[in-house]
């Protein structure tokens, strides 16, 4: 945490009051969000008071994700005086992507620098519902298309299993991934729809991705074979939607994504 002298965080207080929550209620909601995400925290009324008073200018990452989950707002919109160390993916100009630390300050914090070099200090649990979106070129139709699915991600240690919800697409998708710091590597399989353009063909390949430390986006490239046995590639991203995997949540996302 970063401490400062006196500048109150009026924005965070306004957001909390707008949610009709006391400081106790807000702290309880943060703890519950941490449990749902698999990253428990010790938020309490005193901590909320310190944030709002400005005596703690920046929450630790374990609290940052919980704050985003409870408020539905990005952490840098919650009035903290010192930017929370973040990392963002950006195109490198050569067909790939780089993980870069970002900060509104002139010099990134040591923690942000560690993130940008692939060394994370907080373990993120990626379990939940995500939006999967990839791009591919169809030589037969001479155009680029986007494949989207709502998927369920379950994390067991450093392994991620990804399975699409049946109502989100006619083409079931699975991924088996391994997490090493910010690096996510693995394989994918998609069984196309029997009555679709690809007539039930089964496609598979590999994927290499980078995870943002906020736990809200994983982005990279897929590699696979085309129908003429050529090697193809394209961008692929997973965007976080909900940390819960209970029946009600899965039913809510068991539909075609709006991005389709």
């Amino acid at each position: 945490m970063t401490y400062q002298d006196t500048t109150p965080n009026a924005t965070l207080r306004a957001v909390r009051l707008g949610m009709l929550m006391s400081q106790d209620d807000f702290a309880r909601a943060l703890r519950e969000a941490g449990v749902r995400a698999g990253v428990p925290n010790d938020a309490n009324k005193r901590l909320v008071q310190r944030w709002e008073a400005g005596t703690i200018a920046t929450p630790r990452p374990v609290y940052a994700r919980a704050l985003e989950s409870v408020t539905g707002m990005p952490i840098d919109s919650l009035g903290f005086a010192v930017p929370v160390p973040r990392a963002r993916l950006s195109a490198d100009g050569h067909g790939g992507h780089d993980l870069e630390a970002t900060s509104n300050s002139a010099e990134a914090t040591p923690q942000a620098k560690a993130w940008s070099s692939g060394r994370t200090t907080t373990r993120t649990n990626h379990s939940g519902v995500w939006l999967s979106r990839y791009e591919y070129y169809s030589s037969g139709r001479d155009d680029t298309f986007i494949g989207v699915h709502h998927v369920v991600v379950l994390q067991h240690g450093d392994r991620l299993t990804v399975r699409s919800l049946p109502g989100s697409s006619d083409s079931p998708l699975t991924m088996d991934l391994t997490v090493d710091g910010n690096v996510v590597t693995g394989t994918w399989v998609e069984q196309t729809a029997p009555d679709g353009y690809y007539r039930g063909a089964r496609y598979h390949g590999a994927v290499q991705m980078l995870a943002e430390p906020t736990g809200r986006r994983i982005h990279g490239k897929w590699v696979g074979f085309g129908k003429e046995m050529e090697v193809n590639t394209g961008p692929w991203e997973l965007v976080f939607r909900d940390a819960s995997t209970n029946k009600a949540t899965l039913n809510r996302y068991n539909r075609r994504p709006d991005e389709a």
Side-chain angles (χ1 to χ4, degrees), residues 21-207:
M21 285 186 173
S22 67
Q23 290 174 332
D24 271 328
D25 293 336
F26 194 62
R28 185 180 306 110
L30 293 174
R31 294 194 301 272
E32 292 171 352
V35 171
R36 289 196 304 270
V39 188
N41 63 68
D42 299 318
N44 54 39
K45 179 180 179 180
R46 180 57 179 157
L47 179 61
V48 175
Q49 289 174 335
R50 289 178 176 177
W51 286 339
E52 294 185 356
T55 54
I56 298 178
T58 306
R60 298 203 317 255
V62 67
Y63 294 115
R65 180 172 179 179
L67 282 161
E68 289 185 329
S69 177
V70 170
T71 64
M73 298 173 63
I75 195 66
D76 48 12
S77 296
L78 291 175
F80 290 102
V82 178
V84 176
R86 304 294 291 267
R88 283 292 181 263
L89 295 164
S90 61
D92 62 7
H94 303 286
H97 292 79
D98 290 332
L99 185 67
E100 299 177 347
T102 62
S103 172
N104 291 336
S105 59
E107 183 176 356
T109 66
Q111 188 172 45
K113 291 177 180 177
W115 278 340
S116 68
S117 65
R119 304 188 308 273
T120 54
T121 57
T122 301
R123 185 179 181 87
T124 298
N125 189 306
H126 299 286
S127 295
V129 178
W130 295 67
L131 173 71
S132 166
R133 179 168 49 213
Y134 64 84
E135 295 182 15
Y136 66 98
Y137 175 74
S138 171
S139 57
R141 291 175 284 180
D142 191 26
D143 202 356
T144 299
F145 296 87
I146 298 176
V148 291
H149 300 75
H150 282 134
V151 298
V152 179
V153 178
L154 297 177
Q155 181 163 352
H156 306 280
D158 62 353
R159 303 298 299 274
L160 302 181
T161 59
V162 182
R163 302 293 183 265
S164 62
L165 289 169
S168 71
S169 174
D170 295 330
S171 300
L173 170 72
T174 65
M175 303 174 76
D176 291 290
L177 309 172
T178 300
V179 181
D180 182 6
N182 294 113
V183 178
V184 180
T185 306
T187 59
W188 60 270
V189 177
E190 184 169 2
Q191 182 71 46
T192 62
D195 56 352
Y197 177 81
Y198 294 102
R199 303 290 183 181
R202 181 177 181 270
Y203 290 93
H204 58 91
V207 64

